Amino acid sequence: MTSRWLRFAAVAAASLALLARPAAAQQILRDAETEAFMADMSAPLVQAAGMEPRNVQVLVINDPNINAFVAGGQYVWVHSGLIAAADNVNQVQGVVAHELGHIEGGHVIRYGEGMKEATGITLLSLVLGAAAIAAGGAEAGMGILGMGQQAAMGKFLAFSRAQESSADLAGARYLSKAGVSGKGSLEFFKKLQNQEYRLAIPQDDSYGRTHPLSGERINVLREVYTVDPAWDKPMDPKLEARFERIKAKLVGFVSEPSQTLLKYPESDQSLPAHYARAYAWHKSAYPDKALAEVDALLAAAPHDPYFLELKGQVLLESGKPADAIPPLREAVQLTNQPLIATLLGHALIATENDANFAEAEKVLRNAIARDRENPFAWYQLGVVYEHRGDLPRAALATAERYSMMGEDQMALRSADAAMQGLKPGTVDYLRAQDIAMVSRAAVEQKRKKR
């Protein structure tokens, strides 16, 4: 989650939802099952890196490119395209281990060091070039300027490649300490190398690139991985089965339905295939077909919380909120997941039955207590407060939502409105005051930039 803070984007009510951070306009895929899987998959690696698993998050971004990155804080961002391209969980673990190497090495913070060195070279070349021009050597002066810029870029690229190589070796250490094979890491670098071949990237020299060539990385890491005791250790079959489910549901959610149905045809009766097709049919507005796929999943695992969650989602978004409540209630009881609880709260409100609003408030308040960075949960809670006539708290919930969305002006207005009706000195009043203060400063800063 890093410097890119959450903003609600689209598919607001969906259990698998898109959110975005305004700084980079990146869409984040929030999904209870995916986040639980990523946490369990990466926990041994995080511990091997000397970090606390509860402080490190591995999140998925809706982007078809094969990529992963860190951007400040203890957060690893994985593109949905990378998961779709991975053949097994071990390959994803190899990527995550590498990114953890960037976190442990403080590479995002040290990025400024590389820029500073490169800038120093550029400034020196400017001084020398200007002196040569002033002395009458215009051609020599321009040459010095050009060489200085080239040297600065080379210095920075070398710095970047060194960081990547350092993260590769750090990731190898984490995999070894966690008892996870490095085969997946090498396999994934091979995929990247095949991409380089397709793009006709020269394979003889990595000069001029921010990353070492994949072939160079494979050669170095092969020597490390093949002698490691974990090299021949098989993958955890339960973790691999969970990965296949996650991959299928992500493909079903982000891909065009026609593409999903080609990848997971009707002839494929596996659980992942049913999962992918359920999302494909739901996206295509065929609720009966989607429910048929979900029922096939529940026939195999009647009390799987994520299958129950999906059934509730399809029913809710098909205009049957009352029918969605029982499966969602059971899913919440089984997992206590705040994202699923938010979906249940939405279903309770969507019934427009006054008797359900008290339960909706309880469910949503519990969800927010465990996951404050969910704008849609705040929106739903605001609806509950407005329904019961508590306009100041409805305004506070709206302020929370706009604050996460990066809508500073709207957050300021809502926070000011909340303070007009809240008792000074209370927790809610102080929270509204905090939002107003931060939002006002952000508005002023934007005004000065203009």
Side-chain angles (χ1 to χ4, degrees), residues 37-318:
F37 165 76
M38 289 295 189
D40 292 344
M41 175 204 70
S42 61
L45 302 172
V46 173
Q47 290 175 326
M51 291 179 267
E52 176 59 51
R54 65 183 176 182
N55 295 333
V56 177
Q57 284 188 282
V58 182
L59 298 172
V60 180
I61 287 178
N62 182 27
D63 191 309
N65 293 307
I66 302 174
N67 195 20
F69 62 93
V70 295
Q74 294 187 336
Y75 302 93
V76 175
W77 303 90
V78 179
H79 286 206
S80 58
L82 188 149
I83 294 175
D87 298 320
N88 53 59
V89 67
N90 191 217
Q91 293 182 3
V92 181
Q93 286 175 313
V95 173
V96 170
H98 168 88
E99 298 304 329
L100 291 174
H102 282 304
I103 294 176
E104 188 204 28
H107 292 169
V108 174
I109 298 171
R110 294 186 60 210
Y111 178 87
E113 295 177 17
M115 289 295 291
K116 185 177 180 181
E117 266 193 87
T119 303
I121 293 172
T122 302
L123 291 175
L124 178 60
S125 71
L126 286 172
V127 172
L128 294 175
I133 292 170
E139 187 174 337
M142 294 304 293
I144 291 172
L145 290 175
M147 286 189 294
Q149 291 177 344
Q150 185 176 2
M153 179 58 74
K155 190 74 174 178
F156 176 72
L157 291 174
F159 177 84
S160 179
R161 290 194 300 273
Q163 286 192 329
E164 291 299 323
S165 297
S166 171
D168 285 347
L169 294 175
R173 289 201 314 272
Y174 309 151
L175 289 166
S176 177
K177 189 173 180 180
V180 177
S181 174
K183 285 182 180 179
S185 176
L186 289 183
E187 290 167 359
F188 208 83
F189 276 127
K190 191 67 178 174
K191 285 180 179 289
L192 296 180
Q193 186 180 44
N194 289 337
Q195 272 200 329
E196 292 170 0
Y197 288 143
R198 285 195 295 272
L199 294 172
I201 294 174
Q203 297 293 301
D204 56 344
D205 189 2
S206 61
Y207 183 79
R209 291 171 51 84
T210 57
H211 290 54
L213 289 166
S214 296
E216 297 172 355
R217 303 167 89 167
I218 290 169
N219 290 336
V220 172
L221 289 173
R222 185 184 289 117
E223 298 299 318
V224 177
Y225 286 136
T226 54
V227 297
D228 188 82
W231 173 252
D232 288 318
K233 186 174 180 179
M235 289 180 289
D236 179 344
K238 291 183 179 179
L239 200 61
E240 175 61 19
R242 290 174 66 187
F243 167 73
E244 292 298 335
R245 284 175 50 158
I246 294 299
K247 179 177 176 176
K249 77 188 299 187
L250 284 177
V251 168
F253 183 75
V254 305
S255 301
E256 288 298 319
S258 58
Q259 293 178 328
T260 302
L261 294 172
L262 281 174
K263 187 176 180 64
Y264 296 96
E266 295 279 358
S267 57
D268 187 345
Q269 293 295 302
S270 66
L271 286 183
H274 284 300
Y275 223 174
R277 289 197 298 269
Y279 277 99
W281 290 125
H282 184 46
K283 283 180 66 175
S284 302
Y286 289 99
D288 291 341
K289 290 187 175 183
L291 286 171
E293 298 289 356
V294 178
D295 287 341
L297 293 169
L298 287 168
H303 302 289
D304 186 295
Y306 303 113
F307 296 162
L308 290 164
E309 174 195 23
L310 180 54
K311 182 166 188 174
Q313 177 186 345
V314 173
L315 289 166
L316 171 60
E317 295 173 5
S318 301

Side-chain angles (χ1 to χ4, degrees), residues 294-365:
V294 178
D295 287 341
L297 293 169
L298 287 168
H303 302 289
D304 186 295
Y306 303 113
F307 296 162
L308 290 164
E309 174 195 23
L310 180 54
K311 182 166 188 174
Q313 177 186 345
V314 173
L315 289 166
L316 171 60
E317 295 173 5
S318 301
K320 300 177 181 178
D323 294 338
I325 292 172
L328 290 174
R329 272 201 190 118
E330 185 178 353
V332 171
Q333 290 168 357
L334 290 168
T335 65
N336 204 29
Q337 283 275 7
L339 288 173
I340 305 177
T342 299
L343 195 62
L344 171 59
H346 177 49
L348 290 162
I349 293 169
T351 63
E352 298 182 350
N353 184 340
D354 290 348
N356 287 332
F357 275 76
E359 183 184 356
E361 180 179 354
K362 180 181 178 181
V363 166
L364 290 166
R365 287 176 67 89

